[in-house]
Amino acid sequence: MRCTKAVIFMKNLQNNISVIRSCIKPATKLCIAVKADAYGHGAVAVATAAVKSGADYLAVATVDEGIELRAGGITCPILMLSLCSPAEIPAVINYTITPFVFDEEYISLYETAARKKGISRFKVFLAVDTGMSRIGCSPEEARSMAEYIQRCPHLKLCGMATHFAVSDSTAAENLKFTEQQFNSFKKAAAFVREAGIDPGILTCSNSAAILLHPEMQLDMVRAGIITYGYYPDQVTENYLREQGVTAPLKPVMALETEVAAVRTLSKGCSVSYGRTWSAAENTTLAVLPLGYADGLLRKYSPGLKISIQGKLYPVRGRICMDQCMVETGSCPQISRWDKAVVFGPAESGALSTADDIAAAAETISYEVLTSISKRVPRVYRD
Ligand SMILES: *Cc1c(COP(=O)(O)O)cnc(C)c1O
């Protein structure tokens, strides 16, 4: 196996799920988002562990992701958070994936497909748009959409969902916006009840809302990034610390490799494509066998530092497709085949987290984690 690998610390995953459980009421259902290959951690392995740790639901974005879970032996309910094309709808039904719906055209595609398969009460969630402007009917339309679903003999409304746009922010105007979204969503559910229809499971909270807005849990919360050990936003972590709340989340993934070669570099020599960096003094370089095709994005350099033998060393020059070069200085303690860690929990030997890397590249931990490509084997450790 390649030495470049993503080591998945399953103990930390279990820890994070317990932390999430401790943040929610015992009766609140827990949905774990395992979309995008469980944020890069491996969907089936994470889903299996999540169900074992008490997840009630799992969430995917695509039909293929749902099928992968079913093929991997997952039997719990699976929500599909994004829309799929009409050609995929028979598979959604075959694999008992629960879609988000919100308009008559999309709902009738499910009704037709369920009827053809002879399924009587295929479960759907009604998505309500309360301010994200992504998917969902307006709160005012929720009643007529629920009635429409009710008139479809092969469908059953089993829940309602909305999604927050700024729940990761504690700025006054954003707190107000989230509050308004929450109130609109509750109103939408009330409109549905007024029509004599049970709206089913109500869910609006993502990771940020789970941490910042415990009063918004309703019947189910949808945890994504916190499952994998990261706060949705630096603000959230700081804010919680100020409030005296410490949710000890632990990073789950470590991105590891090893030094493939140690090179000496004379003063004035340039490194990598474009010759963007040259040695000011005689120095040494460690060549690492990972690059942007593994998810070590070009935009991380300059700025990225990688841990080798308990110290951070800077990546020099451009990151290549399959390799990158790290300056190890004039008197390195570093030898060939030493372990190098890009990010991860402390026990991996990492000195950076996905948050540190994200901050330096002006992105978010979500993107750092989901960028780790298929070429990087996932290795699971207790
Ligand atoms: C991805 C997603 C989540 C989880 O988001 P996090 O910020 O990772 O917790 C929840 N709900 C929906 C609709 C999503 O798309």
Side-chain angles (χ1 to χ4, degrees), residues 142-161:
R143 176 182 175 145
S144 63
M145 282 307 140
E147 286 171 336
Y148 189 81
I149 294 166
Q150 181 97 333
R151 286 197 301 274
C152 292
H154 302 90
L155 301 183
K156 179 179 169 48
L157 178 67
C158 84
M160 287 177 65

Side-chain angles (χ1 to χ4, degrees), residues 19 231 240-241 244-249:
V19 169
Y231 293 86
L240 287 172
R241 202 175 290 129
V245 180
T246 47
L249 298 175

